[in-house]
Coordinates of all heavy atoms in Angstrom, one line a residue:
M176 N 135.4 24.1 112.0 CA 136.5 25.1 111.8 C 135.8 26.5 111.6 O 134.9 26.7 110.9 CB 137.2 24.8 110.5 CG 138.6 25.3 110.4 SD 139.5 24.7 109.0 CE 138.9 25.8 107.7
P177 N 136.4 27.5 112.3 CA 135.8 28.9 112.2 C 136.0 29.4 110.7 O 137.0 29.1 110.1 CB 136.5 29.7 113.2 CG 137.8 28.9 113.5 CD 137.5 27.5 113.2
K178 N 135.0 30.1 110.3 CA 135.0 30.7 108.9 C 135.4 32.1 109.0 O 134.9 32.9 109.9 CB 133.7 30.6 108.3 CG 133.4 29.2 107.7 CD 132.2 29.3 106.8 CE 131.2 28.2 107.0 NZ 129.9 28.5 106.5
K179 N 136.2 32.6 108.1 CA 136.6 34.0 108.0 C 135.4 34.8 107.5 O 135.2 35.9 107.9 CB 137.8 34.1 107.1 CG 138.5 35.5 107.3 CD 139.8 35.5 106.5 CE 140.4 36.9 106.7 NZ 141.7 36.9 105.9
R180 N 134.7 34.2 106.5 CA 133.6 34.9 105.9 C 132.4 33.9 105.9 O 132.6 32.7 105.6 CB 133.9 35.4 104.5 CG 134.8 36.5 104.5 CD 135.2 36.9 103.0 NE 136.1 38.0 103.1 CZ 137.4 37.8 103.3 NH1 137.9 36.6 103.6 NH2 138.2 38.9 103.4
E181 N 131.2 34.5 106.0 CA 130.0 33.7 106.0 C 129.8 33.0 104.7 O 129.5 31.8 104.6 CB 128.8 34.7 106.2 CG 127.4 34.0 106.1 CD 126.9 33.5 107.4 OE1 127.0 34.3 108.4 OE2 126.4 32.4 107.5
S182 N 130.2 33.6 103.6 CA 130.0 33.1 102.2 C 131.3 32.5 101.7 O 131.3 32.1 100.5 CB 129.5 34.1 101.3 OG 130.4 35.1 101.1
R183 N 132.3 32.4 102.4 CA 133.7 32.0 102.0 C 134.2 32.9 100.9 O 134.9 32.4 100.0 CB 133.7 30.5 101.6 CG 133.6 29.6 102.7 CD 132.4 28.7 102.7 NE 132.1 28.1 101.5 CZ 130.9 28.1 100.9 NH1 129.9 28.7 101.5 NH2 130.6 27.5 99.8
G184 N 133.7 34.1 100.8 CA 134.1 35.0 99.7 C 133.5 34.7 98.4 O 134.0 35.3 97.4
R185 N 132.5 33.9 98.3 CA 131.9 33.5 97.1 C 130.4 33.6 97.1 O 129.8 33.8 98.2 CB 132.3 32.1 96.7 CG 133.8 32.0 96.5 CD 134.2 30.5 96.2 NE 133.6 30.1 94.9 CZ 134.0 29.0 94.3 NH1 134.9 28.2 94.9 NH2 133.4 28.6 93.2
R186 N 129.7 33.4 96.0 CA 128.2 33.4 96.0 C 127.8 32.0 95.5 O 126.8 31.9 94.8 CB 127.7 34.5 95.0 CG 127.8 35.9 95.6 CD 127.6 36.9 94.6 NE 128.7 37.0 93.7 CZ 128.8 37.8 92.6 NH1 127.7 38.5 92.3 NH2 129.8 37.9 91.9
K187 N 128.5 31.0 95.7 CA 128.3 29.7 95.2 C 127.1 29.0 95.8 O 126.3 28.3 95.1 CB 129.5 28.8 95.3 CG 129.4 27.5 94.5 CD 130.8 26.9 94.3 CE 131.2 26.1 95.6 NZ 130.5 24.9 95.8
G188 N 126.9 29.1 97.1 CA 125.9 28.4 97.8 C 126.2 26.9 97.9 O 127.4 26.6 98.0
D189 N 125.2 26.0 97.6 CA 125.6 24.6 97.6 C 125.7 24.1 96.2 O 125.5 22.9 96.0 CB 124.5 23.8 98.5 CG 123.1 24.0 98.0 OD1 122.9 24.8 97.0 OD2 122.2 23.4 98.5
K190 N 125.9 24.9 95.2 CA 126.2 24.5 93.9 C 127.4 23.7 93.9 O 128.4 24.0 94.6 CB 126.3 25.7 93.0 CG 125.1 26.0 92.1 CD 125.5 27.1 91.1 CE 125.2 28.5 91.7 NZ 125.6 29.6 90.8
G191 N 127.5 22.7 93.0 CA 128.7 21.9 93.0 C 129.9 22.5 92.3 O 131.0 22.5 92.8
H192 N 129.6 23.1 91.2 CA 130.8 23.6 90.4 C 130.3 24.8 89.6 O 129.2 24.9 89.1 CB 131.2 22.5 89.4 CG 132.4 22.9 88.6 ND1 132.3 23.3 87.3 CD2 133.7 22.9 88.9 CE1 133.5 23.6 86.8 NE2 134.4 23.4 87.7
V193 N 131.2 25.8 89.5 CA 130.9 27.0 88.6 C 132.1 27.1 87.6 O 133.2 26.7 88.0 CB 130.7 28.3 89.4 CG1 129.4 28.3 90.1 CG2 131.9 28.5 90.3
S194 N 131.8 27.7 86.5 CA 132.9 27.9 85.5 C 133.9 29.0 85.9 O 133.6 29.7 86.9 CB 132.3 28.2 84.1 OG 131.4 29.2 84.2
V195 N 135.0 29.1 85.2 CA 136.0 30.0 85.6 C 136.1 31.1 84.6 O 135.9 30.9 83.4 CB 137.4 29.2 85.6 CG1 138.4 29.9 86.5 CG2 137.2 27.8 86.1
V196 N 136.5 32.3 85.0 CA 136.8 33.4 84.1 C 138.2 33.9 84.4 O 138.7 33.7 85.4 CB 135.8 34.6 84.3 CG1 134.4 34.2 83.9 CG2 135.7 35.1 85.8
S197 N 138.7 34.6 83.4 CA 140.1 35.2 83.5 C 140.0 36.6 84.0 O 139.1 37.3 83.6 CB 140.8 35.1 82.2 OG 141.0 33.8 81.8
C198 N 140.8 37.0 84.9 CA 140.9 38.4 85.3 C 141.3 39.2 84.2 O 142.3 38.9 83.4 CB 141.9 38.5 86.5 SG 142.2 40.2 87.0
D199 N 140.6 40.4 83.9 CA 141.0 41.2 82.8 C 142.2 42.0 83.0 O 142.7 42.7 82.1 CB 139.8 42.1 82.5 CG 138.7 41.4 81.6 OD1 139.1 40.6 80.8 OD2 137.5 41.6 81.9
N200 N 142.8 42.0 84.2 CA 144.0 42.8 84.4 C 145.2 41.9 84.5 O 146.1 42.1 83.7 CB 143.9 43.6 85.8 CG 145.1 44.4 86.0 OD1 145.4 45.2 85.1 ND2 145.7 44.3 87.1
C201 N 145.2 40.9 85.3 CA 146.4 40.0 85.5 C 146.3 38.7 84.8 O 147.3 38.0 84.7 CB 146.7 39.9 86.9 SG 145.5 38.9 87.9
G202 N 145.0 38.3 84.4 CA 144.9 37.0 83.7 C 144.7 35.8 84.6 O 144.6 34.7 84.1
K203 N 144.6 36.0 85.9 CA 144.4 34.9 86.8 C 143.0 34.3 86.6 O 142.1 35.0 86.3 CB 144.5 35.5 88.3 CG 144.4 34.4 89.3 CD 144.4 35.1 90.7 CE 144.3 34.0 91.8 NZ 144.5 34.6 93.1
R204 N 142.9 33.0 86.7 CA 141.7 32.3 86.6 C 140.9 32.3 87.9 O 141.4 31.8 88.9 CB 141.9 30.9 86.0 CG 142.2 30.9 84.5 CD 142.9 29.6 84.1 NE 142.2 28.4 84.4 CZ 141.2 28.0 83.6 NH1 140.9 28.7 82.5 NH2 140.5 26.9 83.9
V205 N 139.7 32.9 87.9 CA 138.9 32.9 89.1 C 137.5 32.4 88.9 O 137.0 32.5 87.8 CB 138.8 34.4 89.7 CG1 139.9 34.8 90.6 CG2 138.6 35.4 88.6
P206 N 136.9 31.7 89.9 CA 135.5 31.3 89.7 C 134.6 32.4 89.4 O 134.8 33.5 90.0 CB 135.2 30.6 91.1 CG 136.5 30.5 91.8 CD 137.4 31.4 91.2
E207 N 133.6 32.2 88.6 CA 132.6 33.2 88.2 C 132.0 33.9 89.3 O 131.7 35.1 89.3 CB 131.6 32.5 87.3 CG 131.5 33.0 85.9 CD 130.5 32.3 85.1 OE1 129.7 31.5 85.6 OE2 130.5 32.5 83.8
D208 N 131.6 33.1 90.4 CA 130.9 33.7 91.5 C 131.8 34.5 92.4 O 131.4 35.2 93.3 CB 130.1 32.6 92.2 CG 131.1 31.5 92.7 OD1 132.2 31.5 92.3 OD2 130.6 30.6 93.4
K209 N 133.1 34.3 92.3 CA 134.0 35.1 93.1 C 134.6 36.3 92.5 O 134.9 37.3 93.1 CB 135.2 34.2 93.5 CG 136.1 34.7 94.6 CD 137.2 33.8 95.0 CE 138.0 34.3 96.1 NZ 139.0 33.4 96.6
A210 N 134.6 36.3 91.2 CA 135.1 37.4 90.4 C 134.3 38.7 90.6 O 133.1 38.6 90.8 CB 135.2 37.1 88.9
V211 N 134.9 39.8 90.6 CA 134.2 41.1 90.7 C 134.1 41.7 89.4 O 135.1 42.1 88.7 CB 135.0 42.1 91.7 CG1 134.3 43.4 91.9 CG2 135.3 41.4 93.0
C212 N 132.8 41.8 88.9 CA 132.6 42.3 87.5 C 131.9 43.7 87.6 O 131.0 43.9 88.4 CB 131.7 41.3 86.8 SG 132.5 39.8 86.4
V213 N 132.5 44.6 86.8 CA 131.9 45.9 86.8 C 131.6 46.3 85.3 O 132.4 46.0 84.4 CB 132.8 47.0 87.4 CG1 132.7 47.0 88.9 CG2 134.3 46.8 87.0
T214 N 130.5 47.0 85.1 CA 130.2 47.5 83.8 C 130.4 49.0 83.8 O 129.8 49.7 84.6 CB 128.7 47.1 83.4 OG1 128.6 45.7 83.6 CG2 128.4 47.5 82.0
R215 N 131.2 49.5 82.9 CA 131.4 50.9 82.7 C 131.2 51.3 81.3 O 131.4 50.5 80.4 CB 132.9 51.2 83.2 CG 133.0 51.1 84.7 CD 134.2 51.7 85.2 NE 134.2 51.7 86.7 CZ 135.3 51.4 87.4 NH1 136.4 51.0 86.8 NH2 135.2 51.4 88.7
M216 N 130.9 52.6 81.1 CA 130.7 53.1 79.8 C 132.1 53.4 79.2 O 132.9 54.1 79.9 CB 129.8 54.4 79.8 CG 128.4 54.1 80.3 SD 127.6 52.7 79.4 CE 126.9 53.5 78.0
Y217 N 132.3 53.0 78.0 CA 133.6 53.2 77.4 C 133.4 53.9 76.1 O 132.5 53.7 75.3 CB 134.2 51.8 77.1 CG 135.3 51.8 76.1 CD1 136.6 52.3 76.4 CD2 135.1 51.4 74.8 CE1 137.6 52.3 75.5 CE2 136.1 51.4 73.8 CZ 137.4 51.8 74.2 OH 138.4 51.9 73.2
S218 N 134.3 54.9 75.9 CA 134.2 55.7 74.7 C 135.6 55.5 73.9 O 136.6 55.7 74.5 CB 134.0 57.2 75.0 OG 134.2 57.9 73.8
P219 N 135.5 55.2 72.6 CA 136.8 55.1 71.9 C 137.5 56.4 71.7 O 138.7 56.4 71.4 CB 136.4 54.5 70.6 CG 134.9 54.8 70.4 CD 134.4 54.9 71.8
V220 N 136.8 57.5 71.9 CA 137.4 58.8 71.7 C 138.0 59.3 73.1 O 137.4 59.0 74.1 CB 136.4 59.9 71.3 CG1 137.0 61.2 70.9 CG2 135.6 59.3 70.1
D221 N 139.2 59.9 73.0 CA 139.8 60.4 74.2 C 138.9 61.4 75.0 O 138.2 62.2 74.3 CB 141.1 61.2 73.8 CG 141.9 61.7 74.9 OD1 142.2 61.0 75.8 OD2 142.1 63.0 74.9
S222 N 138.9 61.3 76.3 CA 137.9 62.0 77.1 C 137.9 63.6 76.9 O 136.9 64.2 76.8 CB 138.0 61.7 78.6 OG 139.2 62.1 79.1
A223 N 139.1 64.1 76.8 CA 139.3 65.6 76.7 C 138.7 66.0 75.3 O 138.0 67.0 75.2 CB 140.7 66.0 76.8
L224 N 139.1 65.2 74.3 CA 138.6 65.5 72.9 C 137.1 65.3 72.8 O 136.4 66.1 72.2 CB 139.3 64.6 71.9 CG 139.0 64.7 70.4 CD1 139.5 66.0 69.9 CD2 139.6 63.6 69.6
A225 N 136.6 64.3 73.5 CA 135.2 64.0 73.4 C 134.4 65.2 74.0 O 133.3 65.6 73.5 CB 134.9 62.7 74.2
Q226 N 134.9 65.7 75.1 CA 134.2 66.8 75.8 C 134.1 68.0 74.9 O 133.1 68.7 74.8 CB 135.0 67.2 77.0 CG 134.2 67.2 78.3 CD 135.0 67.5 79.5 OE1 136.1 68.0 79.4 NE2 134.4 67.2 80.7
E227 N 135.2 68.3 74.2 CA 135.3 69.4 73.3 C 134.3 69.3 72.1 O 133.6 70.2 71.7 CB 136.7 69.6 72.7 CG 137.1 71.1 72.6 CD 138.6 71.2 72.5 OE1 139.3 71.1 73.6 OE2 139.1 71.3 71.4
L228 N 134.3 68.0 71.5 CA 133.4 67.7 70.4 C 132.0 67.8 70.8 O 131.1 68.3 70.0 CB 133.7 66.3 69.9 CG 135.0 66.2 69.1 CD1 135.3 64.7 68.8 CD2 135.0 66.9 67.7
E229 N 131.6 67.4 72.0 CA 130.3 67.5 72.5 C 129.8 68.9 72.7 O 128.6 69.2 72.5 CB 130.1 66.7 73.8 CG 129.8 65.2 73.5 CD 129.7 64.3 74.7 OE1 130.1 64.8 75.8 OE2 129.2 63.2 74.6
K230 N 130.7 69.8 73.0 CA 130.4 71.2 73.2 C 130.0 71.8 71.8 O 129.1 72.6 71.7 CB 131.6 72.0 73.7 CG 131.6 72.2 75.2 CD 132.8 73.1 75.6 CE 133.2 72.8 77.0 NZ 134.5 73.4 77.3
K231 N 130.6 71.2 70.8 CA 130.3 71.7 69.4 C 129.1 71.0 68.8 O 128.7 71.3 67.7 CB 131.5 71.5 68.5 CG 132.6 72.5 68.9 CD 133.9 72.3 68.0 CE 135.0 73.2 68.5 NZ 136.2 72.9 67.9
G232 N 128.5 70.1 69.6 CA 127.2 69.5 69.2 C 127.4 68.1 68.6 O 126.4 67.5 68.1
A233 N 128.6 67.5 68.6 CA 128.7 66.2 68.1 C 128.2 65.2 69.1 O 128.2 65.4 70.3 CB 130.2 65.9 67.8
I234 N 127.7 64.1 68.6 CA 127.2 63.0 69.4 C 128.2 61.9 69.5 O 128.6 61.3 68.4 CB 125.8 62.5 69.0 CG1 124.8 63.6 69.1 CG2 125.4 61.3 69.8 CD1 123.5 63.3 68.3
I235 N 128.8 61.6 70.6 CA 129.8 60.5 70.8 C 129.1 59.3 71.5 O 128.6 59.5 72.6 CB 131.0 61.1 71.5 CG1 131.8 62.0 70.6 CG2 131.9 59.9 71.9 CD1 132.5 63.1 71.3
T236 N 129.2 58.2 70.8 CA 128.6 57.0 71.3 C 129.5 56.4 72.4 O 130.7 56.3 72.2 CB 128.4 56.0 70.2 OG1 128.1 56.6 69.0 CG2 127.3 55.0 70.5
R237 N 128.9 55.9 73.5 CA 129.6 55.2 74.5 C 129.1 53.8 74.6 O 127.9 53.6 74.5 CB 129.5 55.9 75.8 CG 130.2 57.2 75.9 CD 130.2 57.9 77.3 NE 131.0 59.1 77.3 CZ 130.6 60.3 76.8 NH1 129.4 60.4 76.3 NH2 131.4 61.3 76.9
Y238 N 130.0 52.9 74.8 CA 129.6 51.5 74.8 C 129.8 50.9 76.2 O 130.8 51.2 76.9 CB 130.4 50.7 73.9 CG 130.5 51.2 72.5 CD1 131.5 52.0 72.0 CD2 129.4 50.9 71.6 CE1 131.5 52.6 70.7 CE2 129.4 51.4 70.3 CZ 130.5 52.2 69.9 OH 130.5 52.7 68.6
P239 N 128.8 50.1 76.7 CA 129.0 49.5 78.0 C 130.0 48.4 77.9 O 130.0 47.6 76.9 CB 127.6 48.9 78.3 CG 126.9 48.8 77.0 CD 127.5 49.8 76.1
M240 N 130.9 48.3 78.8 CA 132.0 47.3 78.8 C 132.1 46.6 80.1 O 132.2 47.3 81.1 CB 133.3 48.0 78.4 CG 134.1 47.3 77.4 SD 135.4 48.3 76.8 CE 136.8 47.4 77.5
T241 N 131.9 45.4 80.1 CA 132.0 44.6 81.4 C 133.4 44.0 81.6 O 133.9 43.4 80.7 CB 130.9 43.5 81.5 OG1 129.6 44.1 81.2 CG2 130.9 42.8 82.8
K242 N 133.9 44.3 82.7 CA 135.3 43.7 83.0 C 135.2 42.9 84.3 O 134.5 43.4 85.3 CB 136.3 44.8 83.1 CG 136.7 45.3 81.7 CD 138.0 46.1 81.8 CE 138.5 46.3 80.4 NZ 139.8 47.1 80.4
C243 N 135.8 41.8 84.3 CA 135.9 40.9 85.5 C 137.3 40.9 86.1 O 138.2 40.8 85.3 CB 135.4 39.5 85.2 SG 133.6 39.5 84.9
Y244 N 137.4 41.1 87.4 CA 138.7 41.2 88.0 C 138.7 40.1 89.1 O 137.7 39.8 89.7 CB 138.9 42.5 88.7 CG 138.9 43.7 87.7 CD1 137.9 44.6 87.6 CD2 140.0 43.8 86.8 CE1 137.9 45.6 86.7 CE2 140.1 44.9 85.9 CZ 139.0 45.7 85.8 OH 139.0 46.8 84.9
C245 N 140.0 39.7 89.4 CA 140.2 38.8 90.6 C 140.1 39.7 91.8 O 140.1 41.0 91.7 CB 141.5 38.1 90.5 SG 143.0 39.1 90.6
I246 N 140.1 39.2 93.0 CA 140.0 39.9 94.2 C 141.2 40.9 94.4 O 141.0 42.1 94.8 CB 139.8 39.0 95.5 CG1 138.6 38.1 95.3 CG2 139.8 39.8 96.8 CD1 137.3 38.8 95.2
N247 N 142.4 40.4 94.1 CA 143.6 41.3 94.3 C 143.5 42.5 93.4 O 143.7 43.6 93.9 CB 144.8 40.5 93.9 CG 145.2 39.5 94.9 OD1 145.0 39.7 96.1 ND2 145.7 38.3 94.4
C248 N 143.1 42.4 92.2 CA 143.0 43.5 91.3 C 141.8 44.4 91.6 O 141.9 45.6 91.5 CB 142.9 43.0 89.8 SG 144.3 42.2 89.3
A249 N 140.7 43.8 92.1 CA 139.5 44.6 92.5 C 139.9 45.5 93.6 O 139.5 46.7 93.7 CB 138.4 43.7 92.8
I250 N 140.7 45.0 94.6 CA 141.1 45.8 95.7 C 142.1 46.9 95.3 O 142.0 48.0 95.7 CB 141.6 44.9 96.9 CG1 140.5 44.2 97.5 CG2 142.4 45.7 97.9 CD1 140.8 43.2 98.6
H251 N 143.0 46.5 94.4 CA 144.0 47.4 93.8 C 143.3 48.6 93.1 O 143.7 49.8 93.3 CB 144.9 46.7 92.9 CG 145.9 47.6 92.2 ND1 147.0 48.2 92.8 CD2 145.9 48.1 90.9 CE1 147.6 48.9 92.0 NE2 147.0 48.9 90.8
F252 N 142.2 48.3 92.4 CA 141.5 49.4 91.6 C 140.5 50.1 92.5 O 139.8 51.1 92.0 CB 140.8 48.8 90.4 CG 141.8 48.5 89.3 CD1 141.7 47.2 88.7 CD2 142.8 49.3 88.9 CE1 142.6 46.8 87.7 CE2 143.6 49.0 87.9 CZ 143.6 47.7 87.3
G253 N 140.3 49.7 93.7 CA 139.4 50.4 94.6 C 137.9 50.0 94.4 O 137.0 50.8 94.8
I254 N 137.6 48.9 93.7 CA 136.2 48.5 93.4 C 135.6 48.0 94.7 O 134.5 48.3 95.0 CB 136.2 47.5 92.2 CG1 136.8 48.1 91.0 CG2 134.7 47.1 92.0 CD1 137.1 47.1 89.9
I255 N 136.3 47.1 95.4 CA 135.9 46.7 96.7 C 137.0 47.0 97.7 O 138.1 47.3 97.3 CB 135.6 45.1 96.7 CG1 136.8 44.4 96.2 CG2 134.4 44.8 96.0 CD1 136.7 42.9 96.4
K256 N 136.6 47.0 99.0 CA 137.6 47.5 100.0 C 137.8 46.4 101.0 O 136.9 45.5 101.2 CB 137.1 48.7 100.6 CG 137.2 49.9 99.7 CD 137.1 51.2 100.4 CE 137.4 52.4 99.5 NZ 136.3 53.0 98.9
V257 N 138.9 46.4 101.6 CA 139.2 45.5 102.7 C 138.3 45.9 103.9 O 138.2 47.1 104.3 CB 140.7 45.5 103.2 CG1 140.9 44.6 104.3 CG2 141.5 45.1 102.0
R258 N 137.5 44.9 104.5 CA 136.6 45.3 105.5 C 137.1 44.8 106.9 O 137.9 43.8 106.9 CB 135.2 44.7 105.2 CG 134.6 45.3 104.0 CD 133.2 44.8 103.8 NE 133.2 43.3 103.5 CZ 132.1 42.6 103.5 NH1 131.0 43.1 103.8 NH2 132.2 41.3 103.3
A259 N 136.7 45.4 107.9 CA 137.0 45.0 109.3 C 136.5 43.7 109.6 O 135.5 43.2 109.0 CB 136.6 46.1 110.3
E260 N 137.1 43.0 110.6 CA 136.7 41.6 110.9 C 135.2 41.5 111.2 O 134.5 40.6 110.8 CB 137.5 41.2 112.1 CG 137.5 39.7 112.3 CD 138.5 39.2 113.4 OE1 139.4 39.9 113.7 OE2 138.3 38.1 113.9
Q261 N 134.6 42.4 112.0 CA 133.2 42.3 112.4 C 132.3 42.6 111.2 O 131.3 42.0 111.1 CB 132.9 43.3 113.5 CG 133.2 42.8 114.9 CD 132.7 41.4 115.1 OE1 131.5 41.2 115.0 NE2 133.6 40.4 115.5
E262 N 132.8 43.5 110.3 CA 132.0 43.8 109.2 C 131.9 42.6 108.2 O 130.8 42.5 107.5 CB 132.7 45.0 108.4 CG 131.8 46.1 108.1 CD 132.6 47.2 107.4 OE1 133.6 47.7 108.1 OE2 132.3 47.6 106.3
R263 N 132.9 41.8 108.2 CA 132.9 40.7 107.3 C 131.9 39.6 107.6 O 131.4 38.9 106.8 CB 134.3 40.0 107.4 CG 135.3 40.5 106.4 CD 136.6 39.7 106.5 NE 137.6 40.5 107.1 CZ 138.6 40.0 107.9 NH1 138.6 38.8 108.3 NH2 139.5 40.8 108.3
K264 N 131.6 39.6 108.9 CA 130.7 38.5 109.4 C 129.2 38.8 109.1 O 128.4 38.0 109.1 CB 130.8 38.4 110.9 CG 132.2 38.1 111.4 CD 132.6 36.6 111.2 CE 134.0 36.4 111.6 NZ 134.6 35.1 111.2
E265 N 128.9 40.1 108.8 CA 127.5 40.5 108.5 C 127.1 39.9 107.2 O 127.9 39.8 106.3 CB 127.4 42.0 108.5 CG 127.5 42.7 109.9 CD 127.7 44.2 109.8 OE1 127.4 44.8 108.8 OE2 128.2 44.7 110.8
K266 N 125.8 39.6 107.2 CA 125.2 39.1 106.0 C 124.8 40.2 105.0 O 123.7 40.6 104.9 CB 124.0 38.2 106.3 CG 124.3 36.7 106.0 CD 123.1 35.9 106.0 CE 123.4 34.5 105.5 NZ 122.2 33.6 105.7
T267 N 125.8 40.8 104.4 CA 125.5 41.8 103.4 C 126.0 41.4 102.0 O 126.8 40.6 101.9 CB 126.2 43.2 103.8 OG1 127.5 42.9 104.1 CG2 125.5 43.8 105.0
V268 N 125.4 42.0 101.0 CA 125.8 41.7 99.7 C 127.2 42.3 99.4 O 127.4 43.5 99.7 CB 124.8 42.3 98.6 CG1 125.2 42.0 97.2 CG2 123.4 41.7 98.9
L269 N 128.1 41.5 98.9 CA 129.5 41.9 98.7 C 129.6 43.0 97.7 O 130.3 44.0 97.9 CB 130.3 40.8 98.3 CG 131.2 40.1 99.4 CD1 132.0 39.0 98.8 CD2 132.2 41.2 100.0
R270 N 129.0 42.8 96.6 CA 129.1 43.8 95.5 C 127.8 44.4 95.1 O 126.9 43.7 95.0 CB 129.8 43.2 94.3 CG 131.1 42.6 94.5 CD 131.1 41.1 94.2 NE 132.2 40.5 95.0 CZ 132.3 39.2 95.3 NH1 131.3 38.4 95.0 NH2 133.3 38.8 96.0
Ligands
ZN314 ZN1 143.7 40.1 88.6

């Protein structure tokens, strides 16, 4: 059967089973190796206020926050993009 993607959209290889994570946006359960995880710096202070406070010399701590999304949500947020058919066949790292 022809394959749409070399890796079937996952990084599983010949592993038998991988655990499942919940999408942080919609709550869908996705396999760990398929989920798109991004780490971003998060500040509890509002960005406009933080900028002003930093101008005055205050130090605002930012925390790294990792979020995992399902494919639908990752495309919706622009983290990954829909690729052309030929591009999909290439052996490149997805994320
Ligand atoms: Zn989702």
Side-chain angles (χ1 to χ4, degrees):
M176 204 175 83
K178 277 192 224 163
K179 196 171 180 180
R180 287 175 185 78
E181 178 93 46
S182 65
R183 286 117 47 229
R185 298 177 64 169
R186 286 169 285 177
K187 190 166 79 72
D189 58 355
K190 257 187 273 175
H192 182 261
V193 289
S194 49
V195 204
V196 289
S197 292
C198 171
D199 277 321
N200 184 51
C201 68
K203 183 181 180 175
R204 283 158 60 80
V205 272
E207 243 175 9
D208 56 351
K209 188 175 187 175
V211 182
C212 293
V213 278
T214 305
R215 288 195 173 135
M216 296 310 273
Y217 160 78
S218 170
V220 187
D221 180 56
S222 65
L224 180 67
Q226 238 178 14
E227 219 163 279
L228 287 169
E229 272 176 347
K230 262 185 209 167
K231 288 176 183 170
I234 295 163
I235 288 149
T236 326
R237 287 183 177 83
Y238 306 96
M240 226 168 109
T241 304
K242 285 197 168 181
C243 289
Y244 298 107
C245 68
I246 300 299
N247 287 326
C248 294
I250 287 174
H251 175 74
F252 288 128
I254 299 161
I255 53 169
K256 290 197 171 95
V257 177
R258 293 183 298 167
E260 197 173 339
Q261 276 312 304
E262 230 177 302
R263 269 183 249 146
K264 303 283 178 192
E265 286 166 21
K266 247 193 172 174
T267 49
V268 179
L269 257 180
R270 302 117 203 159

